[in-house]
Amino acid sequence: MPCTGKVDVIHIMRSFEKGADGVAVVGCLEGECHFNAGNLMARRRVEQAQKILDTVGVGGQRAQMYNLSSSEGPRFAQYATEMTEKIKELGPNPIRVAKNKAA
Amino acid sequence: MTTKTPSKLEKILRDGHLAVTSECGPPRGSNIDHIVKKGELIKDHVDAINITDNQTSMTRLCSLAACIRLKLMGLEPVLQMVTRDRNRIALQSDILGAASFDINNILCLSGDHQSFGDCSQGQNVHDIDSIQLIQAVRHMRDEGKFLGGDELEGKPEMFVGAAANPFADPFEIRVPRLAKKIAAGVEFIQTQCIYNLDKFEEWMKGVRERGLHEKCFILAGLTPMKSVGMAKYMQKRVPGMDVPEEVIKRLQGVEKGKQADEGIKMCIESIQRLKECEGVAGFHVMAIEWEEKVPEIVEAAGLYPRPNGN
Amino acid sequence: MIVADKKPIEEIIECLKDHKNILVLGCNECVTVCEAGGKKEVGVLASALRMNARKEGKEVKIDELTLERQCDREYLDEIRDSIDQYDAVVSLACGVGVQFTAEQYHDKPIYPGVNTTFLGATEERGVWTERCQACGQCILATTGGICPVARCAKRLFNGPCGGSTTGKCEINAEVDCAWQLIVDRLKALERLDDYEKLCPLKDWSTDRAGGPRKVVREDVKQ
Ligand code: SF4
């Protein structure tokens, strides 16, 4: 994807439907979007997805938005660890669990 | 001067006296005692008493019933009627009902929006607006006909009034708006509470320039402030109310226990100043839930005793 | 256009709780423009419903489809062959579409997936405001092109109430006073004198007051 502005709620939803345990959307720093406001829109969409995920019992916390600049390798690693920790805490995606049970 | 209706208020105004009116809100329940009490309290000091119609959209006992009660006590009621809650069938029907009890004054209003009151989820009607209500009453009275064209058996003999708010926006059409009400047939006006006297006088100047003060009677509206809190509330919270800083400062300048007295004093001073304003035909003293102060204000302002109106 | 807003997903889930084969049906017209019931929203709702069913351990089939319009028989016919697979439809069209779909498929429950709100315009992406109430007797010619029926909280015909303050309506400081707008516009048109023309009582028989309305146009009828 050229920009997180391209991420739509439906992309996040589909990932969880297919069994993802978490989705991290990582965009440029706020105020530094090449397309002006792509990353801000992405944040709002992640928030919207979080609400829906909470409603259907998947848990909104599984979707997260992060921002960093392209030179920040270590920070990326830090976010990735953070996210992994969070997901470990939350456990597996209940949709996948239910799917496996049904199968 | 000849009158068009048996209204005592009309008679007093046409005779060239400065009229004094006041108003009471009906109770929030069926116990009508307090309207009777309020009426007794002020009856010798005012020429007519407005009964509000579910003001600020808080549901109350109906204006019509309270007016009938005053009438039966021998007092002169002004039936306030808002177009918010009734369509043209109900409006005409209530006008006839009021007329059947010899209620001879009506004040035509659109009413506050229902979102301010206790039924904010309710519908509003607004079939016609206040100016069209003025036209409707005049049509019934002068043509002796229903809006639908049928003949009335007995015309409602009502002296027709409306409100005017010189302080609301857009200011440039506030004089034209009065002209419009006059064109619709209004005969007397009671204004919004006046605290900004300069602005009111500016409006009156515009009114005089067009000779509108000769086409209807303008009663200046006044409400005494009880406290700094009330003044601030009116300034910030009540749409279309103009309370200048000086009013608040002056009330703040006296100790708490004396603020009410100061408010009364300011009200009396305002009346005295506006008595000199050409085109002011009287005063509408709205002492909200403070009716017992009306006699004191009227006397101190030199408006007592009242003419008998016969 | 007709502006609609999304219904809370919980409410839709509740309506559908006893159904096993569900079609989420979008509309490509107004509700697509106001981002409440187009293809995208159909996808998100269907995905949410599927996940919800899964999590509850229910076997539910949820399909997605978006028609060109739901207020036209021609397009509704497109689901004639497939409708039997479903025991319920959630229509993300406006109230017109929901009802028209229900009329075509008489024995199918059709649930509304949006709240139809008003006839309005897009102020900016994500913000829509009301402009018209379809009263059936347009008076815009006399009010400077601004409608007091739709935009004045008391639908006053002869000027602003006493609550108009610095351009805003007494009900809410976020709402423009329609009469301030009318006066400003009459001024811009150099027609402020028109303000004093009395507006007669309105004939509401062409409005909702007159009962369900119908337009018959012999000139275009077939
Ligand atoms: S403030 Fe303006 S828009 Fe609001 S009710 Fe009054 S006239 Fe209508």
Side-chain angles (χ1 to χ4, degrees):
Chain A
M1 269 192 204
C3 169
T4 48
K6 273 275 182 197
V7 177
D8 217 320
V9 181
I10 190 66
H11 300 123
I12 304 172
M13 298 292 287
R14 288 260 152 81
S15 316
F16 286 106
E17 220 187 310
K18 288 195 177 131
D21 292 320
V23 171
V25 178
V26 187
C28 304
L29 287 175
E30 289 188 2
E32 289 178 12
C33 174
H34 278 295
F35 306 95
N36 290 329
N39 49 4
L40 300 178
M41 277 163 75
R43 177 170 295 280
R44 284 207 295 273
R45 290 187 189 138
V46 169
E47 283 164 8
Q48 207 193 325
Q50 285 174 336
K51 268 196 213 123
I52 302 175
L53 291 167
D54 274 333
T55 310
V56 299
V58 172
Q61 286 306 304
R62 292 178 187 278
Q64 290 295 334
M65 173 87 197
Y66 293 104
N67 298 87
L68 46 74
S69 77
S70 53
S71 59
E72 294 181 294
R75 181 162 309 175
F76 183 81
Q78 180 203 327
Y79 285 157
T81 335
E82 239 178 62
M83 187 74 190
T84 322
E85 289 304 318
K86 190 170 269 165
I87 300 301
K88 266 193 194 143
E89 219 175 275
L90 293 169
N93 175 350
I95 302 299
R96 201 183 58 224
V97 176
K99 236 192 212 165
N100 292 343
K101 232 189 252 161
Chain B
M1 206 187 248
T2 52
T3 54
K4 296 183 189 154
T5 70
S7 160
K8 175 179 150 196
L9 177 62
E10 181 184 10
K11 176 82 171 62
I12 287 170
L13 285 164
R14 294 211 193 272
D15 283 347
H17 299 291
L18 281 174
V20 179
T21 56
S22 183
E23 77 183 37
C24 296
R28 300 207 69 215
S30 61
N31 183 351
I32 195 130
D33 293 352
H34 98 151
I35 276 272
V36 171
K37 238 183 267 151
K38 285 179 185 177
E40 288 288 352
L41 222 52
I42 61 177
K43 70 176 196 304
D44 297 330
H45 289 80
V46 300
D47 307 318
I49 302 170
N50 287 36
I51 300 289
T52 54
D53 181 6
N54 297 298
Q55 81 265 26
T56 63
S57 299
M58 290 301 273
T59 317
R60 289 168 180 269
L61 182 141
C62 74
S63 173
L64 178 53
C67 281
I68 293 171
R69 188 57 73 125
L70 290 189
K71 190 76 200 184
L72 295 176
M73 292 166 63
L75 309 189
E76 174 88 354
V78 178
L79 176 72
Q80 292 199 183
M81 192 172 271
V82 300
T83 59
R84 177 193 60 222
D85 310 323
R86 299 173 187 84
N87 69 0
R88 59 191 87 177
I89 301 174
L91 290 166
Q92 292 179 90
S93 165
D94 281 1
I95 289 165
L96 295 176
S100 76
F101 279 92
D102 299 317
I103 290 165
N104 301 118
N105 309 289
I106 185 169
L107 193 79
C108 304
L109 306 165
S110 348
D112 299 311
H113 194 262
Q114 76 277 6
S115 57
F116 293 104
D118 61 341
C119 289
S120 58
Q121 298 192 346
Q123 265 285 9
N124 54 23
V125 178
H126 296 299
D127 176 8
I128 66 177
D129 66 20
S130 57
I131 289 188
Q132 294 165 339
L133 179 58
I134 296 168
Q135 287 179 295
V137 189
R138 285 297 301 264
H139 174 83
M140 292 169 80
R141 183 187 90 191
D142 300 344
E143 310 296 322
K145 287 188 176 147
F146 283 103
L147 290 174
D150 294 343
E151 291 286 332
L152 284 166
E153 285 170 36
K155 310 175 198 179
E157 294 189 289
M158 287 191 173
F159 185 44
V160 183
N165 185 356
F167 310 106
D169 291 317
F171 186 68
E172 68 262 46
I173 58 115
R174 288 292 149 184
V175 172
R177 184 152 170 77
L178 177 64
K180 213 171 172 179
K181 289 191 173 177
I182 291 170
V186 85
E187 298 167 302
F188 73 97
I189 290 287
Q190 291 169 325
T191 76
Q192 171 70 291
C193 317
I194 304 162
Y195 297 105
N196 186 342
L197 280 85
D198 294 340
K199 193 155 182 192
F200 176 77
E201 284 166 344
E202 186 190 339
W203 179 73
M204 279 304 295
K205 188 164 159 264
V207 168
R208 285 193 302 270
E209 274 164 12
R210 293 188 53 176
L212 299 177
H213 64 305
E214 283 158 357
K215 297 186 178 143
C216 75
F217 299 102
I218 298 171
L219 276 58
L222 293 147
T223 293
M225 292 289 191
K226 270 186 187 167
S227 62
V228 175
M230 172 176 171
K232 284 190 174 160
Y233 179 84
M234 296 258 232
Q235 185 186 49
K236 298 256 143 54
R237 291 289 150 86
V238 182
M241 191 73 77
D242 182 345
V243 181
E245 266 318 303
E246 303 100 76
V247 170
I248 295 187
K249 287 223 185 79
R250 183 163 160 193
L251 288 167
Q252 274 168 340
V254 297
E255 57 185 281
K256 229 180 172 152
K258 298 248 166 74
Q259 284 170 2
D261 290 343
E262 192 68 13
I264 299 279
K265 218 159 113 197
M266 289 161 78
C267 179
I268 295 164
E269 290 170 15
S270 299
I271 296 180
Q272 263 145 359
R273 173 164 159 191
L274 295 177
K275 272 173 149 183
E276 304 305 317
C277 178
E278 189 192 343
V280 169
F283 297 93
H284 182 51
V285 184
M286 300 164 269
I288 305 164
E289 294 304 324
W290 210 18
E291 288 80 3
E292 67 271 22
K293 290 288 174 188
V294 171
E296 179 182 332
I297 296 169
V298 173
E299 284 179 25
L303 295 164
Y304 188 79
R306 302 303 315 145
N308 68 14
N310 295 322
Chain C
M1 67 172 154
I2 296 174
V3 177
D5 199 1
K6 292 183 184 172
K7 257 195 191 300
I9 293 183
E10 301 89 306
E11 196 183 321
I12 301 173
I13 289 173
E14 177 61 26
C15 283
L16 295 172
K17 64 178 190 297
D18 297 324
H19 297 291
K20 297 260 165 315
N21 290 292
I22 298 162
L23 175 63
V24 181
L25 191 63
C27 177
N28 233 336
E29 294 279 349
C30 313
V31 289
T32 297
V33 183
C34 65
E35 305 188 44
K39 196 169 174 209
K40 253 192 197 171
E41 293 74 33
V42 165
V44 172
L45 176 63
S47 173
L49 292 175
R50 276 192 290 265
M51 281 195 258
N52 184 66
R54 267 265 171 252
K55 207 203 78 241
E56 310 238 295
K58 289 188 194 159
E59 259 318 310
V60 181
K61 179 164 103 93
I62 293 161
D63 287 345
E64 309 169 18
L65 184 69
T66 298
L67 298 178
E68 201 46 43
R69 278 204 279 286
Q70 290 187 34
C71 54
D72 234 320
R73 293 209 170 90
E74 185 188 336
Y75 297 108
L76 279 172
D77 270 343
E78 289 172 18
I79 53 170
R80 187 150 316 273
D81 295 335
S82 52
I83 190 85
D84 285 341
Q85 309 166 36
Y86 306 107
D87 54 14
V89 177
V90 191
S91 163
L92 296 198
C94 68
V96 178
V98 176
Q99 294 181 61
F100 219 49
T101 307
E103 282 168 40
Q104 301 314 301
Y105 304 105
H106 203 62
D107 56 358
K108 259 330 137 203
I110 317 284
Y111 298 103
V114 300
N115 290 321
T116 306
T117 43
F118 50 75
L119 302 183
T122 310
E123 296 275 356
E124 58 182 271
R125 191 163 174 206
V127 180
W128 294 272
T129 48
E130 181 164 21
R131 288 292 182 279
C132 178
Q133 288 203 347
C135 72
Q137 194 67 252
C138 192
I139 57 162
L140 287 170
T142 59
T143 55
I146 288 147
C147 181
V149 177
R151 301 182 67 185
C152 166
K154 301 176 190 168
R155 53 181 193 197
L156 304 178
F157 291 99
N158 282 292
C161 72
S164 177
T165 311
T166 56
K168 299 298 174 187
C169 175
E170 72 168 31
I171 61 161
N172 183 334
E174 310 254 296
V175 178
D176 289 330
C177 167
W179 273 99
Q180 175 78 52
L181 299 175
I182 295 171
V183 167
D184 290 347
R185 179 110 162 110
L186 289 176
K187 242 191 290 178
L189 298 171
E190 294 180 5
R191 272 179 45 200
L192 196 54
D193 287 349
D194 282 2
Y195 167 74
E196 284 192 41
K197 289 189 189 145
L198 285 169
C199 174
L201 273 64
K202 186 168 171 68
D203 174 358
W204 289 111
S205 66
T206 56
D207 177 70
R208 179 211 63 79
R213 294 168 279 177
K214 188 176 193 172
V215 174
V216 181
R217 286 271 310 277
E218 294 301 340
D219 55 336
V220 290
K221 244 175 110 178
Q222 280 173 356

